[in-house]
Amino acid sequence: MGIKLPDVEEYEKPYVPKTKHVKDYYKDMCSWSFRKFPRLVPADPKVSKALEDSLRFLDWGINPREVLSLSRLVLISSLALLLGLNIGAFFITGYFSPIVLMFCTAFPFLIANIITEYPKNEAHLEKITALSLAPNILTQIVIYLKQNPNLEKALHFVSRYSEGRI
C-alpha cells in the first residue's frame, strides 16, 4: 500500500478565484436588457467599427446590439427619472433652476456614452497588458534556446508557461 501522489499538472494550474468582476456584471446587464427590451435597437444598427472590433477581441460573447440596448435603456430610464425629480422639485419648492435642468438632460447622455465606450477601453487595456508581456516571453525564449537550441521546444515551453494574450 503506497501513497499516491497527484500528477504534476494539477499543481501547475493557477488558482482562479470565483469572484465576479465588472465585466461579468456588464455582460449580464447587456444580455438582460437585450432580452427584455429588444425593440430599443433596430435589426441592423449603425455601430462604430471600433466597438465591433473591441467586442470581437475581448470575446465576451455579446454583440453590439446588446451594448446599444443597455446604453439606450439606461439613457431612457435615467432621463425620465432625473426629469421627473426636477419637475417634482419644481412643484414642491416653486423654484426653477436651468442649471439643474441642463444637468438632468446632459447626465443621462454622458452615462450612455460611458456604457458604450466601456468595451473599447477594456480592449485597449487588454492590448497594453499583452504588449507588456512581450519582453518576458522573449526572455523565456532566449533562456530556453541557450539551454537547448531547439526552436519548436522553446515555443512549446513558452506557450505552456506564459499567461495572457499576445
PDB file of all heavy atoms in Angstrom, residues 4 10 12 18 28 31 40 48-49 53 59 77 83-84 88-90 100 104 112 125-126 139 145 151:
ATOM      1  N   LYS A   4      -0.284   7.631  -3.073  1.00  0.00           N
ATOM      2  CA  LYS A   4      -0.440   8.046  -4.456  1.00  0.00           C
ATOM      3  C   LYS A   4      -0.346   9.565  -4.512  1.00  0.00           C
ATOM      4  O   LYS A   4      -1.131  10.281  -3.902  1.00  0.00           O
ATOM      5  CB  LYS A   4      -1.791   7.596  -5.009  1.00  0.00           C
ATOM      6  CG  LYS A   4      -1.971   7.977  -6.466  1.00  0.00           C
ATOM      7  CD  LYS A   4      -3.297   7.473  -6.984  1.00  0.00           C
ATOM      8  CE  LYS A   4      -3.454   7.766  -8.440  1.00  0.00           C
ATOM      9  NZ  LYS A   4      -3.565   9.139  -8.795  1.00  0.00           N
ATOM     10  N   GLU A  10      -1.651  19.029 -11.989  1.00  0.00           N
ATOM     11  CA  GLU A  10      -2.644  19.590 -11.085  1.00  0.00           C
ATOM     12  C   GLU A  10      -2.086  20.796 -10.358  1.00  0.00           C
ATOM     13  O   GLU A  10      -2.788  21.764 -10.102  1.00  0.00           O
ATOM     14  CB  GLU A  10      -3.087  18.545 -10.067  1.00  0.00           C
ATOM     15  CG  GLU A  10      -4.154  17.617 -10.557  1.00  0.00           C
ATOM     16  CD  GLU A  10      -4.656  16.720  -9.442  1.00  0.00           C
ATOM     17  OE1 GLU A  10      -4.852  17.205  -8.316  1.00  0.00           O
ATOM     18  OE2 GLU A  10      -4.834  15.534  -9.715  1.00  0.00           O
ATOM     19  N   GLU A  12       0.307  22.737 -11.490  1.00  0.00           N
ATOM     20  CA  GLU A  12       0.717  23.779 -12.421  1.00  0.00           C
ATOM     21  C   GLU A  12      -0.418  24.732 -12.753  1.00  0.00           C
ATOM     22  O   GLU A  12      -0.186  25.831 -13.212  1.00  0.00           O
ATOM     23  CB  GLU A  12       1.238  23.146 -13.717  1.00  0.00           C
ATOM     24  CG  GLU A  12       2.543  22.421 -13.536  1.00  0.00           C
ATOM     25  CD  GLU A  12       2.991  21.729 -14.808  1.00  0.00           C
ATOM     26  OE1 GLU A  12       2.264  21.775 -15.810  1.00  0.00           O
ATOM     27  OE2 GLU A  12       4.072  21.135 -14.791  1.00  0.00           O
ATOM     28  N   LYS A  18     -13.234  32.628  -7.521  1.00  0.00           N
ATOM     29  CA  LYS A  18     -14.582  32.598  -8.083  1.00  0.00           C
ATOM     30  C   LYS A  18     -15.324  33.900  -7.774  1.00  0.00           C
ATOM     31  O   LYS A  18     -16.406  33.891  -7.211  1.00  0.00           O
ATOM     32  CB  LYS A  18     -15.366  31.417  -7.508  1.00  0.00           C
ATOM     33  CG  LYS A  18     -14.717  30.094  -7.741  1.00  0.00           C
ATOM     34  CD  LYS A  18     -14.758  29.722  -9.196  1.00  0.00           C
ATOM     35  CE  LYS A  18     -14.177  28.338  -9.383  1.00  0.00           C
ATOM     36  NZ  LYS A  18     -13.788  28.030 -10.700  1.00  0.00           N
ATOM     37  N   ASP A  28     -23.737  40.557 -18.197  1.00  0.00           N
ATOM     38  CA  ASP A  28     -25.053  40.115 -17.745  1.00  0.00           C
ATOM     39  C   ASP A  28     -26.110  41.193 -17.978  1.00  0.00           C
ATOM     40  O   ASP A  28     -27.227  40.900 -18.419  1.00  0.00           O
ATOM     41  CB  ASP A  28     -25.019  39.743 -16.262  1.00  0.00           C
ATOM     42  CG  ASP A  28     -24.172  38.515 -15.985  1.00  0.00           C
ATOM     43  OD1 ASP A  28     -23.874  37.769 -16.947  1.00  0.00           O
ATOM     44  OD2 ASP A  28     -23.802  38.315 -14.811  1.00  0.00           O
ATOM     45  N   SER A  31     -26.899  41.489 -21.832  1.00  0.00           N
ATOM     46  CA  SER A  31     -27.750  40.413 -22.340  1.00  0.00           C
ATOM     47  C   SER A  31     -29.161  40.510 -21.750  1.00  0.00           C
ATOM     48  O   SER A  31     -30.143  40.257 -22.446  1.00  0.00           O
ATOM     49  CB  SER A  31     -27.130  39.053 -22.054  1.00  0.00           C
ATOM     50  OG  SER A  31     -26.974  38.870 -20.671  1.00  0.00           O
ATOM     51  N   LEU A  40     -35.557  48.265 -28.477  1.00  0.00           N
ATOM     52  CA  LEU A  40     -34.790  49.502 -28.317  1.00  0.00           C
ATOM     53  C   LEU A  40     -33.757  49.688 -29.421  1.00  0.00           C
ATOM     54  O   LEU A  40     -33.354  50.798 -29.723  1.00  0.00           O
ATOM     55  CB  LEU A  40     -34.075  49.515 -26.961  1.00  0.00           C
ATOM     56  CG  LEU A  40     -34.933  49.757 -25.730  1.00  0.00           C
ATOM     57  CD1 LEU A  40     -34.088  49.646 -24.474  1.00  0.00           C
ATOM     58  CD2 LEU A  40     -35.608  51.103 -25.797  1.00  0.00           C
ATOM     59  N   SER A  48     -20.077  51.667 -34.554  1.00  0.00           N
ATOM     60  CA  SER A  48     -18.716  52.003 -34.969  1.00  0.00           C
ATOM     61  C   SER A  48     -17.881  50.732 -35.133  1.00  0.00           C
ATOM     62  O   SER A  48     -18.090  49.727 -34.460  1.00  0.00           O
ATOM     63  CB  SER A  48     -18.059  52.930 -33.943  1.00  0.00           C
ATOM     64  OG  SER A  48     -17.838  52.241 -32.739  1.00  0.00           O
ATOM     65  N   LYS A  49     -16.947  50.812 -36.044  1.00  0.00           N
ATOM     66  CA  LYS A  49     -16.051  49.686 -36.307  1.00  0.00           C
ATOM     67  C   LYS A  49     -15.203  49.377 -35.068  1.00  0.00           C
ATOM     68  O   LYS A  49     -14.880  48.218 -34.800  1.00  0.00           O
ATOM     69  CB  LYS A  49     -15.159  50.035 -37.505  1.00  0.00           C
ATOM     70  CG  LYS A  49     -14.226  48.950 -37.920  1.00  0.00           C
ATOM     71  CD  LYS A  49     -14.917  47.916 -38.753  1.00  0.00           C
ATOM     72  CE  LYS A  49     -13.867  47.001 -39.348  1.00  0.00           C
ATOM     73  NZ  LYS A  49     -14.288  45.623 -39.303  1.00  0.00           N
ATOM     74  N   ASP A  53     -14.838  45.730 -33.328  1.00  0.00           N
ATOM     75  CA  ASP A  53     -13.509  45.128 -33.190  1.00  0.00           C
ATOM     76  C   ASP A  53     -13.175  44.830 -31.738  1.00  0.00           C
ATOM     77  O   ASP A  53     -12.592  43.787 -31.420  1.00  0.00           O
ATOM     78  CB  ASP A  53     -12.444  46.041 -33.795  1.00  0.00           C
ATOM     79  CG  ASP A  53     -12.542  46.123 -35.306  1.00  0.00           C
ATOM     80  OD1 ASP A  53     -13.192  45.238 -35.916  1.00  0.00           O
ATOM     81  OD2 ASP A  53     -11.977  47.084 -35.883  1.00  0.00           O
ATOM     82  N   ASP A  59     -13.876  38.899 -26.801  1.00  0.00           N
ATOM     83  CA  ASP A  59     -14.529  37.599 -26.807  1.00  0.00           C
ATOM     84  C   ASP A  59     -15.392  37.407 -25.558  1.00  0.00           C
ATOM     85  O   ASP A  59     -15.279  36.406 -24.843  1.00  0.00           O
ATOM     86  CB  ASP A  59     -13.488  36.476 -26.937  1.00  0.00           C
ATOM     87  CG  ASP A  59     -14.127  35.153 -27.308  1.00  0.00           C
ATOM     88  OD1 ASP A  59     -15.193  35.178 -27.954  1.00  0.00           O
ATOM     89  OD2 ASP A  59     -13.571  34.104 -26.947  1.00  0.00           O
ATOM     90  N   SER A  77     -34.242  55.509 -19.070  1.00  0.00           N
ATOM     91  CA  SER A  77     -34.679  55.429 -17.671  1.00  0.00           C
ATOM     92  C   SER A  77     -34.077  56.546 -16.823  1.00  0.00           C
ATOM     93  O   SER A  77     -34.778  57.151 -16.011  1.00  0.00           O
ATOM     94  CB  SER A  77     -34.354  54.063 -17.086  1.00  0.00           C
ATOM     95  OG  SER A  77     -32.970  53.834 -17.128  1.00  0.00           O
ATOM     96  N   LEU A  83     -35.549  63.919 -14.958  1.00  0.00           N
ATOM     97  CA  LEU A  83     -36.511  64.966 -15.316  1.00  0.00           C
ATOM     98  C   LEU A  83     -37.734  64.920 -14.401  1.00  0.00           C
ATOM     99  O   LEU A  83     -38.287  65.958 -14.042  1.00  0.00           O
ATOM    100  CB  LEU A  83     -36.905  64.852 -16.779  1.00  0.00           C
ATOM    101  CG  LEU A  83     -35.832  65.291 -17.775  1.00  0.00           C
ATOM    102  CD1 LEU A  83     -36.309  65.084 -19.205  1.00  0.00           C
ATOM    103  CD2 LEU A  83     -35.431  66.734 -17.560  1.00  0.00           C
ATOM    104  N   GLY A  84     -38.163  63.713 -14.015  1.00  0.00           N
ATOM    105  CA  GLY A  84     -39.267  63.596 -13.061  1.00  0.00           C
ATOM    106  C   GLY A  84     -38.905  64.192 -11.713  1.00  0.00           C
ATOM    107  O   GLY A  84     -39.729  64.880 -11.083  1.00  0.00           O
ATOM    108  N   GLY A  88     -40.719  67.368 -10.071  1.00  0.00           N
ATOM    109  CA  GLY A  88     -41.236  67.226  -8.711  1.00  0.00           C
ATOM    110  C   GLY A  88     -40.656  68.273  -7.773  1.00  0.00           C
ATOM    111  O   GLY A  88     -41.368  68.843  -6.940  1.00  0.00           O
ATOM    112  N   ALA A  89     -39.366  68.537  -7.887  1.00  0.00           N
ATOM    113  CA  ALA A  89     -38.744  69.566  -7.048  1.00  0.00           C
ATOM    114  C   ALA A  89     -39.296  70.944  -7.382  1.00  0.00           C
ATOM    115  O   ALA A  89     -39.450  71.799  -6.490  1.00  0.00           O
ATOM    116  CB  ALA A  89     -37.231  69.544  -7.235  1.00  0.00           C
ATOM    117  N   PHE A  90     -39.628  71.181  -8.639  1.00  0.00           N
ATOM    118  CA  PHE A  90     -40.204  72.465  -9.025  1.00  0.00           C
ATOM    119  C   PHE A  90     -41.577  72.652  -8.391  1.00  0.00           C
ATOM    120  O   PHE A  90     -41.909  73.725  -7.884  1.00  0.00           O
ATOM    121  CB  PHE A  90     -40.302  72.580 -10.550  1.00  0.00           C
ATOM    122  CG  PHE A  90     -41.091  73.763 -11.017  1.00  0.00           C
ATOM    123  CD1 PHE A  90     -40.591  75.037 -10.861  1.00  0.00           C
ATOM    124  CD2 PHE A  90     -42.339  73.603 -11.588  1.00  0.00           C
ATOM    125  CE1 PHE A  90     -41.311  76.146 -11.282  1.00  0.00           C
ATOM    126  CE2 PHE A  90     -43.072  74.688 -12.009  1.00  0.00           C
ATOM    127  CZ  PHE A  90     -42.554  75.969 -11.862  1.00  0.00           C
ATOM    128  N   VAL A 100     -29.870  72.990 -13.129  1.00  0.00           N
ATOM    129  CA  VAL A 100     -30.271  71.634 -12.764  1.00  0.00           C
ATOM    130  C   VAL A 100     -30.935  70.947 -13.958  1.00  0.00           C
ATOM    131  O   VAL A 100     -30.714  69.762 -14.204  1.00  0.00           O
ATOM    132  CB  VAL A 100     -31.211  71.654 -11.536  1.00  0.00           C
ATOM    133  CG1 VAL A 100     -31.769  70.279 -11.256  1.00  0.00           C
ATOM    134  CG2 VAL A 100     -30.475  72.190 -10.326  1.00  0.00           C
ATOM    135  N   CYS A 104     -29.756  67.554 -15.657  1.00  0.00           N
ATOM    136  CA  CYS A 104     -30.679  66.422 -15.774  1.00  0.00           C
ATOM    137  C   CYS A 104     -30.798  65.926 -17.204  1.00  0.00           C
ATOM    138  O   CYS A 104     -31.156  64.769 -17.420  1.00  0.00           O
ATOM    139  CB  CYS A 104     -32.059  66.809 -15.250  1.00  0.00           C
ATOM    140  SG  CYS A 104     -32.128  66.984 -13.466  1.00  0.00           S
ATOM    141  N   ALA A 112     -24.774  57.091 -20.871  1.00  0.00           N
ATOM    142  CA  ALA A 112     -24.968  56.211 -22.027  1.00  0.00           C
ATOM    143  C   ALA A 112     -23.690  56.116 -22.855  1.00  0.00           C
ATOM    144  O   ALA A 112     -23.337  55.047 -23.361  1.00  0.00           O
ATOM    145  CB  ALA A 112     -26.124  56.719 -22.885  1.00  0.00           C
ATOM    146  N   LEU A 125      -6.965  48.360 -22.831  1.00  0.00           N
ATOM    147  CA  LEU A 125      -6.160  47.928 -21.674  1.00  0.00           C
ATOM    148  C   LEU A 125      -5.650  46.499 -21.847  1.00  0.00           C
ATOM    149  O   LEU A 125      -4.525  46.187 -21.450  1.00  0.00           O
ATOM    150  CB  LEU A 125      -6.988  48.033 -20.394  1.00  0.00           C
ATOM    151  CG  LEU A 125      -7.309  49.447 -19.921  1.00  0.00           C
ATOM    152  CD1 LEU A 125      -8.231  49.406 -18.714  1.00  0.00           C
ATOM    153  CD2 LEU A 125      -6.042  50.199 -19.594  1.00  0.00           C
ATOM    154  N   GLU A 126      -6.464  45.642 -22.449  1.00  0.00           N
ATOM    155  CA  GLU A 126      -6.033  44.252 -22.691  1.00  0.00           C
ATOM    156  C   GLU A 126      -4.873  44.214 -23.676  1.00  0.00           C
ATOM    157  O   GLU A 126      -3.929  43.432 -23.516  1.00  0.00           O
ATOM    158  CB  GLU A 126      -7.223  43.452 -23.224  1.00  0.00           C
ATOM    159  CG  GLU A 126      -6.946  41.993 -23.397  1.00  0.00           C
ATOM    160  CD  GLU A 126      -7.087  41.210 -22.118  1.00  0.00           C
ATOM    161  OE1 GLU A 126      -7.786  41.660 -21.206  1.00  0.00           O
ATOM    162  OE2 GLU A 126      -6.460  40.139 -22.031  1.00  0.00           O
ATOM    163  N   THR A 139      12.332  36.884 -23.338  1.00  0.00           N
ATOM    164  CA  THR A 139      13.357  36.448 -22.398  1.00  0.00           C
ATOM    165  C   THR A 139      13.270  34.946 -22.155  1.00  0.00           C
ATOM    166  O   THR A 139      14.299  34.253 -22.122  1.00  0.00           O
ATOM    167  CB  THR A 139      13.213  37.208 -21.067  1.00  0.00           C
ATOM    168  OG1 THR A 139      13.252  38.605 -21.338  1.00  0.00           O
ATOM    169  CG2 THR A 139      14.308  36.841 -20.095  1.00  0.00           C
ATOM    170  N   LEU A 145      16.434  28.702 -25.376  1.00  0.00           N
ATOM    171  CA  LEU A 145      17.295  28.412 -26.526  1.00  0.00           C
ATOM    172  C   LEU A 145      18.763  28.295 -26.121  1.00  0.00           C
ATOM    173  O   LEU A 145      19.527  27.579 -26.764  1.00  0.00           O
ATOM    174  CB  LEU A 145      17.125  29.480 -27.605  1.00  0.00           C
ATOM    175  CG  LEU A 145      15.831  29.394 -28.410  1.00  0.00           C
ATOM    176  CD1 LEU A 145      15.727  30.566 -29.356  1.00  0.00           C
ATOM    177  CD2 LEU A 145      15.751  28.082 -29.168  1.00  0.00           C
ATOM    178  N   LEU A 151      14.048  25.429 -31.495  1.00  0.00           N
ATOM    179  CA  LEU A 151      13.050  26.485 -31.510  1.00  0.00           C
ATOM    180  C   LEU A 151      11.648  25.959 -31.234  1.00  0.00           C
ATOM    181  O   LEU A 151      10.856  26.603 -30.545  1.00  0.00           O
ATOM    182  CB  LEU A 151      13.080  27.228 -32.853  1.00  0.00           C
ATOM    183  CG  LEU A 151      12.195  28.463 -32.979  1.00  0.00           C
ATOM    184  CD1 LEU A 151      12.563  29.477 -31.918  1.00  0.00           C
ATOM    185  CD2 LEU A 151      12.309  29.049 -34.359  1.00  0.00           C
TER     186      LEU A 151
END
